[in-house]
Amino acid sequence: MRSSAARQHRFPPSPRVQILLGFGALLAVSCAVYAALWLVEFGGSPGSVGLIELWTSPRAAEVLSGTVEVTVAVLGITLTVVAIIVELATRRFTARIASLFMRDLVNSLVLGGFVVTVVLVLWVDMSLYGPDYPEAMILVAMGALSAAVLGLLPYFGYLFGFFSPSNVIGRVQRQAARAVRRAARPGASIERQRERVIGSVEHLADMTLIAINGDESALAIPCIEALSEMARDQLAVKGELPAAWFSLESLAETDRDFVTLDSDMMSSLTERRTWLEAKILRSYQTAFFRGLNNAQDLNHLIAIHTQRIACEAL
């Protein structure tokens, strides 16, 4: 019974761990195959050549000269696949998905690593015929190129998982939750954190409308639930937030949900400290009217979460 219960509570590794595991598996297979070939070719002969001596021999420069084209080709393949996936994700979700992609640490590190590898291999290739043979440069360049090629497939797997609807919605919701918690800390940049929360709410609101228009209830439902969680996350720390968080002076001129409100309504929202709840409920209202004719189930869900937000506030 304990073993079955333990199996039920096991979760798959995170995407970042999966990309490391995939890279490690490919590296292990490559090393094992090369080691077997090494033993066949050099292992049994007396005074066999060493690995470092073999890879840094002057004749290996002929191989390194051709790796520049290989490195550029690998970078081109990566950027092409990334551009196609980002474009498809932008069409399905919103244009905001591009900024979410660029802010991700793994995407920045992998793409930056590919660019550095291309430049490094090119510069090493230009340094092969100096007065001293650059053995260390060759080893570093070959190691960087090998890591780039081995990491290609694991990164593509991470990329496909990154743009799954559940992961996109989860990232947006966690971004808003972190911004609210940071705003409650002394000395935090209120405007910056509030912009992140507003961007997250509008991101999920736009995704909800796109899903309703495309009759994708499987995408609209988690967006509606995530908006409710955002409101409840703020309610949990509302007493710790400073007064500047609830001021609507800047939002009255820039925010799409507040520019049409009169001064009395703006003063009321500031006094009651409910601008975020009003923005989320305004998103619910827009989605509710959009789904009157073809998404009654979603309207029922909107009503349920509206009641939950109200009960949590009370």
Side-chain angles (χ1 to χ4, degrees), residues 57-258:
S57 65
R59 297 189 63 180
E62 301 176 2
V63 178
L64 186 62
S65 299
T67 57
V68 177
E69 300 178 359
V70 176
T71 309
V72 173
V74 170
L75 177 63
I77 293 173
T78 304
L79 294 180
T80 301
V81 173
V82 169
I84 293 174
I85 295 178
V86 172
E87 175 66 20
L88 293 176
T90 301
R91 292 181 180 181
R92 184 180 184 189
F93 302 120
T94 65
R96 301 173 187 268
I97 198 69
S99 62
L100 189 68
F101 169 81
M102 293 305 300
R103 287 197 301 267
D104 182 69
L105 179 61
V106 174
N107 292 323
S108 300
L109 290 178
V110 172
L111 295 180
F114 279 124
V115 174
V116 170
T117 300
V118 171
V119 175
L120 179 64
V121 172
L122 176 62
W123 288 353
V124 171
D125 187 36
M126 298 294 294
S127 307
L128 291 177
Y129 305 102
D132 297 324
Y133 191 66
E135 297 182 356
M137 285 186 177
I138 291 177
L139 290 177
V140 173
M142 295 305 297
L145 179 58
S146 300
V149 175
L150 289 172
L152 200 59
L153 289 180
Y155 175 63
F156 285 164
Y158 173 84
L159 200 60
F160 287 118
F162 179 87
F163 288 111
S164 66
S166 59
N167 286 339
V168 170
I169 296 170
R171 289 176 187 275
V172 175
Q173 180 183 340
R174 289 192 297 270
Q175 175 181 286
R178 286 195 299 267
V180 172
R181 290 195 298 268
R182 289 172 182 170
R185 299 173 183 171
S189 176
I190 300 301
E191 288 298 326
R192 183 178 181 182
Q193 304 305 329
R194 191 162 60 174
E195 287 178 1
R196 291 180 177 177
V197 174
I198 291 174
S200 299
V201 173
E202 293 179 350
H203 192 168
L204 291 179
D206 292 342
M207 287 176 59
T208 303
L209 296 179
I210 293 174
I212 293 176
N213 293 335
D215 197 19
E216 292 190 61
S217 59
L219 177 60
I221 289 174
C223 290
I224 294 171
E225 293 176 344
L227 286 170
S228 176
E229 288 296 326
M230 285 184 183
R232 295 156 73 182
D233 287 339
Q234 188 215 217
L235 290 171
V237 296
K238 197 168 188 177
E240 305 173 12
L241 292 169
W245 174 265
F246 304 101
S247 175
L248 295 182
E249 293 181 1
S250 60
L251 298 181
E253 300 177 356
T254 58
D255 192 89
R256 67 186 187 185
D257 289 317
F258 300 123

